[in-house]
Amino acid sequence: MSDPISRLDQFRADTPGAPMKSAAEVRQRGDQIRRRQRALVTAGAVALAAVVAGPIIFLSAGFGERAIEPQPAPAPTPSQTPSTVAPSPSASTPVSDLTRANLPAEDDMVAEDPYPQWVQAQTYDGEGKGDYNECLPALADSDALATFRRDFTPQAGQEYADSAGTLKAVVAEFGSADEAEKARTKLSAAASSCAAVDGTEVAGSLPVEGGVVTGGDINVVTYLPEDDSTNARWEVATAVVAVEDRLVVLTRRRGVQDYVSPTTLQTSAVNAAYRLVGSSPPPATASSSASSSASSSASAPAAILSDAHLVVAGSLPGLPMEGESSAVWQQVAPQPTPTLYCQGAWLSSLKAAESVSREFRLENGGSQIGKVNVTVLEFAEKENADAAFETVHGWLDTCPASMDDAKLFTARPVESIAIGTTPEIDRAAQTLAEYAGDCGGEGCDATWYDHQTVAQLGTRLVLVTHAEAGGPCPPTTACPPEEASDYTDWDRRVAQTVEATVDRAFQDLP
């Protein structure tokens, strides 16, 4: 459910710290063997041209490019015999010395907090079995001389490993830097549109700069899975980076609720670029979330929001259940579900300057009986927050989310509510939506009763979901409820969740 909105245009992947060697020095050290043969061929050709044609003036195109047309060799005299020696195969057919050693290692791949570190799962010669990225054509179609692939997975048995997704790296070498750049442009365009998958939406992009990188960028798209009843989405973040005549493609795929800025993938791509030329990433780009955050904060204004603005599990009310007084709320990793069930678009569409999110679940006997989702949004100007409030109010009123209408009905229209917090809020609205629960593919009367709230104070909004499982009756003290008093405890629990959440979100505001 995480939806961090960062000032992407201020972020740079080259982290300040220990001075880096220049790109030319790294390439010379890391790729000396591979370049030697090509340098000898080029040097021989230049020397021959100098003997035959005399002095050559290189124009503005620069040394190594075709600055002037080569002069033809003089015709042989009658005493001369034309040479019949065939050209060397190595001069016309590029030979790759790309190996598995040019693939990124585990320590190069940055794991986002709170997810566990990436570990190697499988390494392939070539592009491996199955598509490593559903948006891209095969590198073989781009005339790559050689390719290798390595897949990474979250460290097994660690917390949040199940929701971290997968990370895959493919490296390739081409006959020239121009061919590598053409392939990079083609792959980046495919990643940005992902035309091969139906229903994709462009979520965002970032540049990849620094170190030995010749050029690169990251493009993120999202799309609904085949089962869209939960409004979950797949996120595919693709980094395509060129280093002279070599290319690295990183693909991070996971389920998300909203757009997640791929700043850690940005740092991973810079690290992978060093491996591509046979070098180790300098300490300044070492794989840690802290280093990524440090480089971001070096150029971006200090953040206003933090986890301190999010409610904690201990502040949420218990749900009375048969046989015990209450269960215990547990904070969970970001889930591939929206903050609000009636959310009509990604929260990034609201254009907040910052946001923080948190989710909680309540279980009894292995069955989920409670859900609380929270997102706090900070806007640059109050008019932006005002417009966002109206948008969310419209979502609550019409519930335009992409869901099966047969499973959803709204119990009552959206209405303004009062929230007893200090400081006093500007305004708040709430609705109750009812929708079918998951019965494992079998028919049942399980139902979710979901109160959804939006509150505003100045430039800040807070979105809250408080959902309880029921069926055939709502979570009231009587089934069916007959008196207003039957709703008292349920209403109190919802109010406690909303007040605790809003109080925490607005605590630093006057």
Side-chain angles (χ1 to χ4, degrees):
M1 189 189 69
S2 174
D3 182 27
I5 308 291
S6 62
R7 294 171 175 82
L8 303 181
D9 59 341
Q10 297 175 343
F11 186 89
R12 290 293 182 269
D14 45 330
T15 308
M20 297 182 183
K21 288 182 171 57
S22 70
E25 291 174 317
V26 173
R27 295 189 189 100
Q28 182 178 7
R29 180 183 71 251
D31 214 11
Q32 185 175 11
I33 296 176
R34 180 166 68 89
R35 304 298 181 201
R36 187 179 296 126
Q37 183 179 16
R38 297 178 188 177
L40 290 174
V41 172
T42 302
V46 172
L48 177 61
V51 171
V52 173
I56 297 176
I57 300 175
F58 289 92
L59 304 181
S60 60
F63 184 82
E65 299 181 24
R66 184 171 295 181
I68 61 175
E69 290 297 320
Q71 300 298 317
T77 64
S79 60
Q80 292 176 320
T81 302
S83 174
T84 58
V85 177
S88 169
S90 63
S92 58
T93 305
V95 177
S96 172
D97 57 359
L98 188 75
T99 69
R100 289 187 174 196
N102 298 113
L103 285 162
E106 292 178 354
D107 290 343
D108 303 327
M109 301 292 96
V110 181
E112 294 176 321
D113 184 57
Y115 299 110
Q117 178 62 40
W118 296 105
V119 296
Q120 293 184 25
Q122 183 70 49
T123 301
Y124 307 89
D125 293 340
E127 294 183 71
K129 300 177 181 178
D131 295 337
Y132 64 91
N133 186 311
E134 55 262 55
C135 301
L136 302 186
L139 278 169
D141 296 338
S142 302
D143 298 324
L145 302 178
T147 57
F148 295 91
R149 168 178 159 185
R150 176 165 291 157
D151 295 351
F152 299 87
T153 57
Q155 188 173 3
Q158 299 297 308
E159 190 175 12
Y160 305 139
D162 292 342
S163 56
T166 59
L167 180 62
K168 299 176 182 179
V170 175
V171 297
E173 186 172 57
F174 294 83
S176 68
D178 286 343
E179 291 182 31
E181 177 58 25
K182 289 178 182 178
R184 189 191 71 80
T185 302
K186 176 182 177 181
L187 294 172
S188 291
S192 65
S193 63
C194 200
V197 180
D198 293 334
T200 54
E201 295 182 8
V202 177
S205 63
L206 282 178
V208 178
E209 302 169 336
V212 296
V213 172
T214 302
D217 47 44
I218 300 171
N219 291 283
V220 186
V221 297
T222 63
Y223 62 90
L224 288 170
E226 292 182 3
D227 179 12
D228 62 356
S229 60
T230 61
N231 210 23
R233 299 191 74 88
W234 281 112
E235 176 195 79
V236 182
T238 307
V240 186
V241 178
V243 182
E244 290 197 345
D245 58 353
R246 291 183 172 182
L247 204 67
V248 59
V249 180
L250 299 183
T251 302
R252 189 189 67 193
R253 186 176 188 269
R254 63 185 178 184
V256 295
Q257 180 271 331
D258 221 323
Y259 171 66
V260 180
S261 175
T263 53
T264 54
L265 191 62
Q266 193 179 42
T267 305
S268 298
V270 174
N271 293 341
Y274 278 95
R275 299 292 183 188
L276 200 58
V277 295
S279 181
S280 298
T285 59
S287 62
S288 69
S289 298
S291 66
S292 176
S293 299
S295 64
S296 176
S297 62
S299 58
I304 296 174
L305 298 180
S306 70
D307 285 351
H309 293 93
L310 295 169
V311 70
V312 295
S315 298
L316 301 178
L319 273 62
M321 294 176 294
E322 184 178 353
E324 55 182 316
S325 60
S326 67
V328 178
W329 286 97
Q330 298 289 337
Q331 182 181 337
V332 296
Q335 302 292 301
T337 55
T339 300
L340 306 173
Y341 188 89
C342 291
Q343 193 171 304
W346 294 116
L347 294 185
S348 54
S349 67
L350 300 177
K351 306 301 182 184
E354 297 177 43
S355 73
V356 288
S357 303
R358 184 168 286 172
E359 293 179 80
F360 306 88
R361 297 293 181 264
L362 191 69
E363 293 188 354
N364 180 37
S367 298
Q368 195 174 102
I369 61 170
K371 297 185 292 188
V372 168
N373 303 334
V374 179
T375 294
V376 183
L377 303 161
E378 177 70 28
F379 293 83
E381 303 290 343
K382 185 177 184 300
E383 51 264 34
N384 302 132
D386 291 342
F389 182 94
E390 295 300 333
T391 297
V392 177
H393 190 285
W395 290 345
L396 300 184
D397 190 36
T398 61
C399 204
S402 301
M403 302 175 186
D404 186 350
D405 291 341
K407 295 178 62 177
L408 167 69
F409 65 92
T410 302
R412 59 174 179 248
V414 62
E415 58 184 14
S416 297
I417 62 169
I419 303 175
T421 58
T422 302
E424 184 177 349
I425 65 170
D426 294 337
R427 54 180 173 169
Q430 185 180 88
T431 191
L432 171 64
E434 301 181 19
Y435 48 91
D438 184 7
C439 297
E442 300 180 0
C444 67
D445 55 12
T447 303
W448 282 102
Y449 297 85
D450 189 339
H451 284 87
Q452 302 165 73
T453 307
V454 55
Q456 179 184 7
L457 177 55
T459 57
R460 190 169 301 172
L461 297 188
V462 59
L463 312 182
V464 190
T465 280
H466 176 109
E468 297 185 24
C473 294
T476 51
T477 53
C479 182
E482 297 177 351
E483 305 290 339
S485 59
D486 295 335
Y487 292 87
T488 301
D489 288 344
W490 182 23
D491 291 342
R492 176 190 54 78
R493 293 193 298 271
V494 174
Q496 182 178 336
T497 294
V498 172
E499 288 181 8
T501 301
V502 171
D503 184 68
R504 187 92 172 197
F506 296 157
Q507 61 179 321
D508 59 327
L509 297 181

